[in-house]
Amino acid sequence: MPSPFPGMDPFLEHPDFFPDLHGRFHVYLSEALQDALPPPYFAVINERLWVETTARYIEPDTDVMVGGWTVAEPSAAVADRPRSRVRTRPLVFETCHEERREPYVEIRTRLAEGGERLVTAIEVLSLSNKRPGDPGRNLYLQKQGEILGSAVHLVEIDLLRGGEHTTPVFLDRLKRKAGAFDYHVSVHRFDQRGRFFVYPWQLAEPLPEIGVPLLPDDGEIALDLQAVLTRCYDTGPYSRRVVYDLARIVPPLEPTQTEWVEQVLQRAARL
């Protein structure tokens, strides 16, 4: 069953669904690139890995008694012994180490003298990338800065309306030039350092076809992001898993967007 939306499905931005879409998008993004890349270029999927440490509370075996010691009632067998006291039980916490993984796509090329060269890094922003204070955001921004100062192109795809603005172009400057938008792609070419090519679009519009740069002498290839998203939806669980109830959209929509989404869902229900 196809998606009811012509572009991004706002229901899939929910934290319950977006991680699955995020992982699936990288697979079909890599597939689309592989079909379009001339030899000796090729696309690979890599992962960022980090460990998050949290403290988990464990329920103690007995009730916690506040205020020192409790006195146990003596039995007849021990009536002649001194009254015993039961030590107060402490709160128990366990340190948990959770491994987090985040995929990204790279375009590489074989070198005539042997080995490989990284040409283009392609990032689909995740929920953690846009969450202030999240270790995943800090790692992402560090990598972003490193790539922007290197001889590697950077393509950033933002399919999330919520969260902190993350791509390098200042948001207020982008809004002044582009007007209102919900999603965008930012492309930075290492051979035109400091210049960003931005593709903004609104919820009601299909995802754009973008230019993905190769080495300067080889130009760029076209990448149809809507085709990638459509393949994700067609092969994914979303038509069975998502309950298309407007109250479940996270983050909430603007009033005009809510009206449009309601009309889209009504049309889809009649098909």
Side-chain angles (χ1 to χ4, degrees):
M1 182 177 177
S3 170
F5 295 95
M8 181 60 187
D9 184 333
F11 288 86
L12 299 188
E13 296 176 60
H14 193 287
D16 288 346
F17 309 133
F18 193 80
D20 180 86
L21 176 66
H22 186 259
R24 199 176 297 271
F25 200 93
H26 286 84
V27 174
Y28 296 124
L29 176 63
S30 176
E31 177 186 73
L33 289 168
Q34 197 63 46
D35 288 342
L37 286 169
Y41 291 94
F42 56 92
V44 296
I45 299 176
N46 277 326
E47 287 185 320
R48 251 185 316 278
L49 172 66
W50 71 95
V51 175
E52 290 187 358
T53 302
T54 57
R56 180 172 64 90
Y57 171 66
I58 303 174
E59 188 72 25
D61 293 335
T62 61
D63 291 338
V64 175
M65 306 299 292
V66 180
W69 302 82
T70 58
V71 180
E73 291 295 332
S75 65
V78 294
D80 57 339
R81 298 180 183 177
R83 293 164 66 89
S84 62
R85 294 186 296 179
V86 178
R87 186 182 298 275
T88 301
R89 300 297 182 185
L91 298 173
V92 181
F93 290 86
E94 180 181 69
T95 300
C96 301
H97 301 281
E98 182 181 359
E99 188 175 86
R100 299 276 298 274
R101 295 177 180 270
E102 202 166 73
Y104 57 92
V105 175
E106 293 180 340
I107 295 177
R108 293 177 170 267
T109 187
R110 291 195 310 273
L111 300 175
E113 61 273 19
E116 300 174 2
R117 172 178 172 173
L118 172 60
V119 177
T120 307
I122 304 177
E123 296 274 0
V124 182
L125 298 183
S126 70
L127 292 166
S128 66
N129 295 157
K130 300 190 69 178
R131 187 182 299 126
D134 193 294
R137 176 175 175 80
N138 296 335
L139 284 173
Y140 180 79
L141 292 177
Q142 179 182 346
K143 180 187 176 183
Q144 181 191 72
E146 292 171 355
I147 294 177
L148 291 175
S150 71
V152 177
H153 305 303
L154 177 61
V155 178
E156 298 170 282
I157 303 169
D158 189 350
L159 301 178
L160 291 164
R161 290 172 295 117
E164 193 80 12
H165 180 70
T166 302
T167 56
V169 181
F170 290 119
L171 183 58
D172 56 349
R173 182 180 177 187
L174 188 53
K175 285 182 175 180
R176 284 199 303 270
K177 189 69 175 178
F181 65 93
D182 298 301
Y183 315 100
H184 71 287
V185 173
S186 172
V187 179
H188 178 264
R189 301 181 60 110
F190 73 79
D191 56 330
Q192 299 184 43
R193 187 156 297 168
R195 178 175 292 180
F196 295 88
F197 301 85
V198 181
Y199 302 80
W201 73 95
Q202 296 184 356
L203 174 62
E205 300 173 319
L207 276 64
E209 180 180 281
I210 67 171
V212 178
L214 306 177
L215 290 176
D217 290 341
D218 295 331
E220 62 182 29
I221 60 170
L223 175 62
D224 186 346
L225 293 178
Q226 182 59 51
V228 175
L229 179 64
T230 298
R231 185 149 167 71
C232 290
Y233 195 94
D234 291 346
T235 62
Y238 313 115
S239 63
R240 301 181 184 183
R241 186 182 182 193
V242 177
V243 178
Y244 282 98
D245 177 353
L246 284 167
R248 296 173 182 247
I249 293 182
V250 177
L253 298 169
E254 298 293 332
T256 55
Q257 293 175 322
T258 300
E259 183 179 351
W260 177 79
V261 168
E262 196 168 22
Q263 293 173 354
V264 170
L265 295 178
Q266 289 173 353
R267 286 197 300 270
R270 291 195 294 266
L271 296 179

